């Protein structure tokens, strides 16, 4: 009798979850059907944090089953667009509704419609629950909306100038040249993904912070004496490799002692990366206030644009702050 009661609890919980998902799916399907657009019904919410962690593994498992080649394994996982390309729109049209238990998703393949949506930001605000996950290190141009987004965009847009583009070009040529030399000296290449990622990281480091690093291939030894710049590079690599759990769980939740070691290492990497970002920001800001000669990189441009915006708005409105905060 006690064993039956013990099983009753998880069974009741499972049935409650299933009924909740079915109810949400029915409500969203009814709403989407009124649009008259083609519908694709999916059992799980594509943007749910838990599903983002396990979607690929579940899809791979279902594909092995005799009935595993349906819409679920085709559309209900991250990155399906890369493999499906234009086929879904070729079959169903330029606008498709994905119906899930959580919410409905409109998939567009019409340049004019997409452009109109971006121009009418007030009529099509971004859902805060979707962008909130990206506030890992603070608000940014990709997660803000309304007047705050306009302030971010004004400052960041002016930072992407020809001087920064030149730095990107120079770093890209240098890293690509070293990459070709490294590959040319090997009978076979089995590290394309790792090596090209290293090139991207080094170009980013040079363009954003003005720190240039020599290219090292996947099987080349790293010198034993590591400087802070190396720690920054390793931290950024770790963040990019494990960005999905970072976005889904949030940085603050990664420091729990009961979590796996890999997630706690990811939390430590975010601290190192933020320390380097803060240090670079403060260094550039102090150098600019001393009127020192500054390098052409993105961080310098951001600090310059932010301080210039503070001066402009301060002279026009008094003491009102319109620059970027340290967190931003």
């Amino acid at each position: 009798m006690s064993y039956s009661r013990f099983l009753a609890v998880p069974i009741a919980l499972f049935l409650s979850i299933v009924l909740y998902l079915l109810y949400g799916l029915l409500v969203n399907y009814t709403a989407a059907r009124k649009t008259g657009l083609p519908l694709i019904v999916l059992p799980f919410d594509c943007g749910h944090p838990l599903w983002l962690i396990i979607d690929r593994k579940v899809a791979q498992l279902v594909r092995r089953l005799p009935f595993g080649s349906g819409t679920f394994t085709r559309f209900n996982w991250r990155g399906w667009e890369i493999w499906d390309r234009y086929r879904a729109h070729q079959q169903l049209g330029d606008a498709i509704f994905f119906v899930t238990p959580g919410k409905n998703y409109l998939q567009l393949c019409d340049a004019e419609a997409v452009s109109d949506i971006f121009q009418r930001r007030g009529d099509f605000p971004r859902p805060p629950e979707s962008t909130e996950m990206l506030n890992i290190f603070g608000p940014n141009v990709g997660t803000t909306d309304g007047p705050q987004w306009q302030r971010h965009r004004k400052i960041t847009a002016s930072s992407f100038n020809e001087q920064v583009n030149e730095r990107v070009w120079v770093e890209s040529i240098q890293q690509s040249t070293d990459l070709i030399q490294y590959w040319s000296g090997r009978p076979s290449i089995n590290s394309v993904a790792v090596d090209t990622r290293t090139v991207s990281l080094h170009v980013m480091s040079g363009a954003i912070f003005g720190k240039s690093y020599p290219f090292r291939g996947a099987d080349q030894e790293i010198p034993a004496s590591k400087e802070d710049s190396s720690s920054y590079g390793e931290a950024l690599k770790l963040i990019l490799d494990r960005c999905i759990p970072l976005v889904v769980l949030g940085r603050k939740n990664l420091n729990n002692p009961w979590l796996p070691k890999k997630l706690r290492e990811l939390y430590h990497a975010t601290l190192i990366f933020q320390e380097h970002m803060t240090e670079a920001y403060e260094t550039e800001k102090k150098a600019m206030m001393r009127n020192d000669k500054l390098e052409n990189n993105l961080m310098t441009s951001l600090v310059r644009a932010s301080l210039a915006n503070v001066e402009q708005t301060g002279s026009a409105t008094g003491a009102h702050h319109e620059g970027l905060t340290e967190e931003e």
Side-chain angles (χ1 to χ4, degrees):
M1 187 70 177
S2 59
Y3 182 72
S4 300
R5 290 181 178 179
F6 177 77
L7 288 178
V9 175
I11 292 176
L13 180 61
F14 175 76
L15 291 177
S16 299
I17 295 175
V18 171
L19 290 175
Y20 175 77
L21 294 177
L22 290 176
Y23 174 76
L25 195 62
L26 178 62
V27 172
N28 291 336
Y29 177 81
T30 304
R33 190 178 179 183
K34 297 177 182 178
T35 64
L37 295 174
L39 306 181
I40 296 178
V41 180
L42 302 175
F44 300 105
D45 187 349
C46 309
H48 193 279
L50 179 60
W51 182 244
L52 288 174
I53 296 178
I54 63 175
D55 60 348
R56 287 175 176 265
K57 294 182 179 180
V58 173
Q60 291 176 358
L61 181 63
V62 175
R63 285 193 190 98
R64 299 176 182 177
L65 301 176
F67 53 85
S69 59
T71 57
F72 171 70
T73 54
R74 180 179 176 184
F75 299 111
N76 209 175
W77 56 282
R78 276 179 298 110
W80 68 266
E81 307 94 333
I82 299 175
W83 300 100
D84 200 78
R85 297 178 183 256
Y86 181 67
R87 286 192 292 272
H89 291 287
Q90 191 175 28
Q91 296 170 1
L92 301 174
D94 291 339
I96 306 170
F97 251 121
F98 288 101
V99 181
T100 75
K103 58 175 67 73
N104 293 332
Y105 296 88
L106 177 62
Q107 185 83 12
L108 285 177
C109 184
D110 185 281
E112 294 183 1
V114 173
S115 177
D116 187 48
I117 290 174
F118 278 106
Q119 291 176 3
R120 297 163 54 190
R121 296 183 61 88
D123 297 330
F124 299 94
R126 286 180 288 187
E129 65 273 10
S130 299
T131 58
E132 182 65 27
M133 294 190 299
L134 301 178
N135 284 330
I136 300 171
F137 298 101
N140 54 77
V141 70
T143 62
T144 54
D145 215 344
Q148 191 178 13
W149 176 83
Q150 293 177 357
R151 177 171 60 88
H152 276 264
R153 185 180 184 277
K154 177 182 178 182
I155 294 174
T156 55
S158 61
S159 303
F160 290 90
N161 49 48
E162 289 301 321
Q163 289 78 16
V164 174
N165 292 340
E166 181 183 359
R167 186 62 184 261
V168 173
W169 180 252
V170 171
E171 291 289 341
S172 300
I173 292 177
Q174 181 62 51
Q175 294 293 324
S176 300
T177 302
D178 294 343
L179 173 66
I180 293 174
Q181 292 178 351
Y182 169 73
W183 282 353
S184 301
R186 272 150 185 77
S188 62
I189 304 170
N190 300 317
S191 57
V192 175
V194 176
D195 293 336
T196 52
R197 183 192 61 179
T198 300
V199 170
S200 301
L201 290 176
H202 288 183
V203 172
M204 288 171 57
S205 300
I208 297 175
F209 304 108
K211 296 180 180 180
S212 298
Y213 306 120
F215 174 82
R216 293 190 182 93
D219 60 349
Q220 289 179 324
E221 295 183 358
I222 300 176
S225 58
K226 290 187 177 182
E227 299 178 353
D228 288 342
S229 59
S230 177
S231 299
Y232 154 79
E234 293 301 318
L236 184 55
K237 283 183 180 180
L238 192 60
I239 290 172
L240 294 178
D241 285 343
R242 305 174 188 174
C243 60
I244 296 300
L246 177 60
V247 170
V248 172
L249 298 177
R251 185 174 63 152
K252 296 180 180 179
N253 298 324
L254 295 176
N255 197 30
N256 293 316
W258 49 268
L259 286 175
K261 182 180 178 181
K262 289 185 177 181
L263 294 181
R264 285 184 274 118
E265 290 176 348
L266 178 59
Y267 174 77
H268 182 64
T270 61
L271 294 181
I272 294 176
F273 180 73
Q274 188 171 30
E275 288 176 2
H276 280 274
M277 292 281 288
T278 303
E279 180 183 354
Y281 172 78
E282 292 295 335
T283 301
E284 296 292 343
K285 187 170 68 172
K286 291 177 182 178
M288 186 169 297
M289 290 181 174
R290 294 194 303 264
N291 294 323
D292 293 346
K293 185 178 180 180
L294 302 175
E295 296 185 10
N296 293 323
N297 57 64
L298 184 59
M299 179 62 74
T300 302
S301 299
L302 281 173
V303 174
R304 185 186 295 115
S306 180
L307 294 179
N309 203 48
V310 170
E311 295 177 358
Q312 293 174 3
T313 56
S315 60
T317 63
H320 184 58
H321 185 274
E322 286 289 337
L324 294 177
T325 64
E326 181 178 308
E327 183 184 22
E328 294 171 334

